[in-house]
Amino acid sequence: MWCRFFITVALCFGFFSQAQQCPRISTPVDGAVDVPVDTEVRWPQVEGIFGYVVSLGTTPGGGEIINRRSSGTKNFYVPEVGLPENTKIYVTIRLFVLGQPVRVCEIEEFTTINVNTPPECTTLAYPLDKATQANVNRPISWNYAPTATGYRISIGTTSGGTDLVNDLDVGNVLQYKPPTELPLDQEFFVRVTPYNENGDAGTCQEESFITGIPTFNCDAVPNPATGTVYSLKPEISFPDQIGFCVGENSKPVQSEDTAQGFRWFKLNDDGTETLLSQTREVNLQSLGRYRFEAYNSAVFLGNTVECAQVNEFTVIPSGPAEINTIKVSREADGLTIITEISGPGSYEFALDDENGPFQDSNTFTRVPLGEHTVYVREKNGCGIVSRIVERQLSAKDFPQFFTPNGDGIHDFWQFSPPPDVEASIERIRIYDRYGNFLAQIDPKRIGWDGLFNGRPLPASDYWFKATSFGQQEIYGHFTLKR
């Protein structure tokens, strides 16, 4: 009976451990060279996880190219705008497991090929060429042109025209939203030209689309009472990023905006959309990209017209920060406090007040002497942690005895910070029972060995005076045992 139970537990534990074992990238393999800039980064599927988070950088562990981007449960990631040429790329994969800390896998690397030719032309992804009823609330987007490092776009109301946008360099992005909304029920002509350091794609094909009807200007609705116009579109303040907190099985989200209607969509990897909710609230079940719409309605020529505001957002893995260390140094104008943290989310920092104000920097300068508390808040609502920078110490925080007999145990007397206190002691002076000065200890070194002028002192009680960076003075005594 016990044997069967042990075998079952062992097998389950083994499966659970293996299910969350970090994968190694299979395409391209670690150390590969001459990798195409449009390569697909792929790794073996891992069972029992909620999703993968991928970072691609030009430094080990960095995210200069892609910073902690979710690939959902898909075991591959294709950089939307490709990779830089002739560059060593570092890959970091994180496994997101519900109810557990995010597991960071071993960093791997590969080097991309040196590109020496211009890119080829691209095509519109939305609206498609010759499309009708194009949604004016959505940006114009196009497909990635391999090896391109940027794009120029022209938009006109006639074929070959550039009266709206004339060969505008939009950089290395795959979409563009005109500064003013395109009129409805009108044809527009678009030309997108990819380029890189070797030149551009030349004369690319012009494409066109027709915007939707009826022709109703949501931004200029007449007010008969005043003779003025107003916008029927709701104002929205929805964030661009939401954290899926560690330990959550789902993420309830609610809009606080004022509007007549709402819609929430999941943006799928294949370009399709899934409608999730048509109320103010939605329950998100996975990482990835989403779109939020808030709209007001009006009746125009017998038709109901929606005037919408749209915001695309990303759900990323997140969780409370872990405070690793707090470094305190005393400067001429006060204390400098640097808080070093780790964690899967985006964080901000406050000093002495958990309600803020918060700042993005982890460094506080010109801090008055005294006791302080650092607060670290996850920006997406996944929690706040704190630590006392320098609480009021007492003699009980210092060792009560030491035994300098050379056995390797308690051979030195030194301040050892309690778990909730940083090493904020600036200096320690030691005296005998008559007040004679014997030694000064640097808290960063090994400590006092019980010697004075090279001679061992007798077993007895000795006194100390410790001074913190905040100029707090602590007095106490301890015993030297022989």
Side-chain angles (χ1 to χ4, degrees):
M1 179 72 177
W2 282 105
C3 180
R4 182 180 303 171
F5 174 77
F6 174 78
I7 293 174
T8 301
V9 171
L11 288 175
C12 290
F13 179 78
F15 173 78
F16 183 75
S17 299
Q18 185 178 8
Q20 297 179 32
Q21 183 177 357
C22 276
R24 302 294 300 270
I25 58 173
S26 54
T27 306
V29 297
D30 185 31
V33 296
D34 293 335
V35 175
V37 295
D38 60 340
T39 192
E40 173 186 85
V41 180
R42 181 176 287 271
W43 55 91
Q45 186 68 266
V46 180
E47 301 299 330
I49 66 170
F50 186 65
Y52 304 96
V53 178
V54 183
S55 293
L56 302 178
T58 55
T59 57
E64 296 86 356
I65 301 172
I66 291 173
N67 188 24
R68 296 182 179 180
R69 194 76 59 84
S70 169
S71 68
T73 57
K74 297 184 181 297
N75 60 321
F76 61 88
Y77 193 89
V78 180
E80 292 88 345
V81 294
L83 298 168
E85 63 161 334
N86 196 29
T87 303
K88 180 172 287 189
I89 308 296
Y90 295 89
V91 183
T92 306
I93 298 174
R94 291 172 169 84
L95 306 182
F96 191 57
V97 185
L98 288 177
Q100 297 185 33
V102 175
R103 177 170 295 184
V104 182
C105 298
E106 180 181 350
I107 299 171
E108 301 181 79
E109 52 87 9
F110 60 87
T111 303
T112 53
I113 195 171
N114 183 28
V115 176
N116 51 27
T117 59
E120 296 185 357
C121 291
T122 183
T123 55
L124 289 181
Y126 186 87
L128 296 175
D129 187 29
K130 304 297 188 296
T132 60
Q133 303 292 318
N135 187 342
V136 296
N137 288 311
R138 290 184 58 179
I140 298 171
S141 62
W142 50 90
N143 298 302
Y144 167 59
T147 76
T149 58
Y151 301 84
R152 299 194 303 271
I153 184 172
S154 293
I155 306 175
T157 53
T158 59
S159 180
T162 58
D163 48 307
L164 295 183
V165 178
N166 184 15
D167 204 34
L168 175 65
D169 189 339
V170 295
N172 196 17
V173 296
L174 299 179
Q175 64 177 22
Y176 172 73
K177 188 172 180 60
T180 58
E181 189 173 284
L182 298 177
L184 300 172
D185 194 22
Q186 186 169 333
E187 186 172 17
F188 295 91
F189 298 84
V190 179
R191 190 189 310 275
V192 179
T193 305
Y195 67 84
N196 61 24
E197 63 178 4
N198 303 297
D200 61 33
T203 304
C204 293
Q205 176 185 351
E206 180 182 74
E207 299 178 84
S208 65
F209 60 86
I210 299 175
T211 53
I213 57 174
T215 54
F216 180 83
N217 189 349
C218 292
D219 291 318
V221 180
N223 186 337
T226 62
T228 60
V229 296
Y230 65 96
S231 175
L232 196 59
K233 294 180 181 178
E235 294 184 2
I236 63 175
S237 57
F238 202 77
D240 295 328
Q241 196 173 83
I242 292 178
F244 205 116
C245 305
V246 172
E248 290 184 328
N249 294 318
S250 61
K251 181 74 173 182
V253 176
Q254 176 175 307
S255 170
E256 302 297 333
D257 301 318
T258 301
Q260 294 177 347
F262 304 89
R263 294 191 190 94
W264 306 83
F265 295 89
K266 175 74 170 67
L267 305 182
N268 305 316
D269 294 335
D270 59 2
T272 61
E273 302 175 345
T274 302
L275 178 63
L276 301 179
S277 172
Q278 297 187 73
T279 69
R280 182 182 297 276
E281 300 176 350
V282 65
N283 198 29
L284 306 177
Q285 301 287 338
S286 63
L287 309 176
R289 294 171 52 246
Y290 294 82
R291 187 172 77 250
F292 164 65
E293 294 182 357
Y295 63 88
N296 293 321
S297 300
V299 176
F300 179 73
L301 299 179
N303 296 306
T304 299
V305 181
E306 290 184 358
C307 296
Q309 289 283 24
V310 180
N311 188 56
E312 291 189 6
F313 64 96
T314 304
V315 177
I316 62 171
S318 192
E322 179 178 346
I323 298 178
N324 300 325
T325 60
I326 298 180
K327 298 180 179 179
V328 182
S329 61
R330 187 180 181 191
E331 311 295 338
D333 54 356
L335 302 179
T336 294
I337 300 174
I338 302 175
T339 307
E340 296 183 349
I341 64 169
S342 59
S346 299
Y347 304 100
E348 54 191 0
F349 304 81
L351 192 65
D352 296 332
D353 189 344
E354 63 178 341
N355 297 314
F358 282 86
Q359 64 182 40
D360 290 333
S361 174
N362 68 335
T363 301
F364 295 93
T365 59
R366 300 180 179 178
V367 178
L369 302 180
E371 180 178 313
H372 298 282
T373 301
V374 169
Y375 295 90
V376 184
R377 183 172 66 183
E378 204 283 323
K379 291 183 178 180
N380 296 294
C382 291
I384 184 170
V385 295
S386 64
R387 182 179 293 185
I388 296 174
V389 177
E390 183 175 289
R391 71 162 166 79
Q392 294 295 314
L393 299 173
S394 70
K396 294 181 180 180
D397 294 313
F398 292 76
Q400 302 301 301
F401 71 93
F402 78 122
T403 56
N405 55 15
D407 65 354
I409 302 174
H410 303 305
D411 282 338
F412 297 88
W413 189 88
Q414 177 62 286
F415 171 69
S416 180
D420 64 334
V421 180
E422 300 300 324
S424 56
I425 295 297
E426 187 173 29
R427 63 181 177 270
I428 304 173
R429 293 175 176 267
I430 297 175
Y431 304 85
D432 64 17
R433 66 173 60 189
Y434 305 106
N436 297 312
F437 173 70
L438 300 177
Q440 179 167 308
I441 301 177
D442 183 345
K444 297 180 180 179
R445 297 186 180 275
I446 194 168
W448 185 48
D449 56 5
L451 299 179
F452 178 69
N453 291 333
R455 294 183 296 105
L457 293 177
S460 180
D461 283 349
Y462 293 86
W463 295 82
F464 70 88
K465 173 186 174 183
T467 305
S468 72
F469 279 113
Q471 298 306 288
Q472 177 192 354
E473 294 183 346
I474 306 99
Y475 297 90
H477 64 88
F478 59 94
T479 302
L480 189 161
K481 298 181 179 181
R482 293 200 182 272

